[in-house]
């Protein structure tokens, strides 16, 4: 095994606000567990990566939703501006980006992270959920079909091939 991916960094993108929490944690935890064996450093919006930046967690998301419902958009703006800056900085710091795009749920942060990934010309491994046949046309115009996968398992298979030198 060549360990080509050892020491690389990846950022894990995908909807948090409206996605099922167990689904979000399941694919991220599985990915982190498997890529840790390759020496890949995984960064997630759920992790506290940068000092003095808020982390997007279920409890503070619920608080932000309450503030939004109460009309306190200024407080929401201040917190989300910093979360957004942190998440986009993680895209910048990554060697490659891995994500799940749930086409049944709007994911505005995910879309911006994809745009930043594309502009930075970072390699992308994107699961189109629930089916690769549902890839949004705009996203199909942003990235070549080789970036799209049906499952996180398919992404892991591809990364193992890259790591071993089987695929360049």
């Amino acid at each position: 095994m060549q360990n080509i991916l050892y020491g690389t960094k990846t950022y894990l993108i995908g909807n948090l606000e409206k996605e099922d929490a167990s689904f979000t944690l399941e694919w991220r935890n599985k990915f982190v567990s498997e890529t840790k064996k390759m020496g890949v450093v995984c960064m997630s919006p759920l992790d506290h990566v940068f000092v003095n930046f808020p982390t997007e967690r279920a409890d503070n998301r619920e608080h932000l939703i309450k503030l939004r419902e109460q009309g306190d958009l200024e407080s929401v703006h201040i917190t989300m501006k910093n979360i957004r800056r942190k998440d986009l900085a993680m895209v910048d710091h990554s060697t490659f980006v891995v994500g799940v795009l749930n086409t049944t749920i709007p994911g505005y942060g995910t879309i911006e992270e994809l745009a930043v990934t594309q502009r930075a010309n970072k390699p992308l491994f994107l699961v189109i959920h629930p089916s690769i046949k549902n890839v949004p046309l705009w996203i199909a115009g942003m990235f070549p079909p080789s970036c799209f996968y049906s499952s996180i398992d398919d992404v892991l298979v591809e990364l193992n091939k890259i790591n071993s030198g089987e695929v360049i």
Side-chain angles (χ1 to χ4, degrees):
M1 179 175 246
Q2 292 190 11
N3 246 1
I4 291 170
L5 295 176
Y6 183 84
T8 59
K9 296 177 192 169
T10 188
Y11 178 54
L12 308 179
I13 67 173
N15 194 322
L16 292 175
E17 182 179 351
K18 298 189 183 283
E19 185 66 79
D20 174 49
S22 62
F23 175 75
T24 294
L25 291 174
E26 181 183 316
W27 78 260
R28 282 182 167 89
N29 290 340
K30 179 178 190 167
F31 186 86
V32 170
S33 174
E34 292 299 315
T35 55
K36 188 176 190 179
K37 299 170 190 172
M38 294 181 235
V40 174
V41 176
C42 294
M43 299 177 290
S44 169
L46 302 171
D47 298 336
H48 188 75
V49 177
F50 300 115
V51 177
N52 297 325
F53 277 86
T55 301
E56 193 170 356
R57 299 179 325 270
D59 59 337
N60 75 345
R61 193 168 30 260
E62 289 171 19
H63 176 69
L64 289 167
I65 290 168
K66 285 179 185 172
L67 290 172
R68 180 177 65 191
E69 289 170 353
Q70 295 167 358
D72 187 0
L73 295 180
E74 186 63 31
S75 295
V76 173
H77 168 72
I78 290 166
T79 300
M80 285 308 300
K81 176 175 71 170
N82 288 319
I83 288 173
R84 178 179 169 265
R85 285 178 55 211
K86 176 195 63 114
D87 289 0
L88 295 177
M90 286 196 281
V91 173
D92 291 339
H93 288 291
S94 67
T95 310
F96 62 96
V97 175
V98 172
V100 173
L101 180 64
N102 186 337
T103 60
T104 65
I105 299 171
Y108 304 106
T110 303
I111 297 301
E112 185 175 19
E113 291 162 346
L114 286 170
V116 170
T117 299
Q118 194 266 340
R119 281 193 299 275
N121 203 28
K122 304 250 182 198
L124 173 69
F125 302 85
L126 186 64
V127 175
I128 307 297
H129 180 78
S131 169
I132 201 165
K133 294 177 182 176
N134 294 34
V135 63
L137 298 175
W138 195 270
I139 301 299
M142 290 174 68
F143 300 101
S146 59
C147 293
F148 305 135
Y149 296 84
S150 296
S151 70
I152 205 68
D153 289 327
D154 291 347
V155 172
L156 288 166
V157 166
E158 186 69 12
L159 290 176
N160 274 302
K161 288 179 183 177
I162 293 168
N163 194 46
S164 69
E166 182 182 337
V167 173
I168 297 176

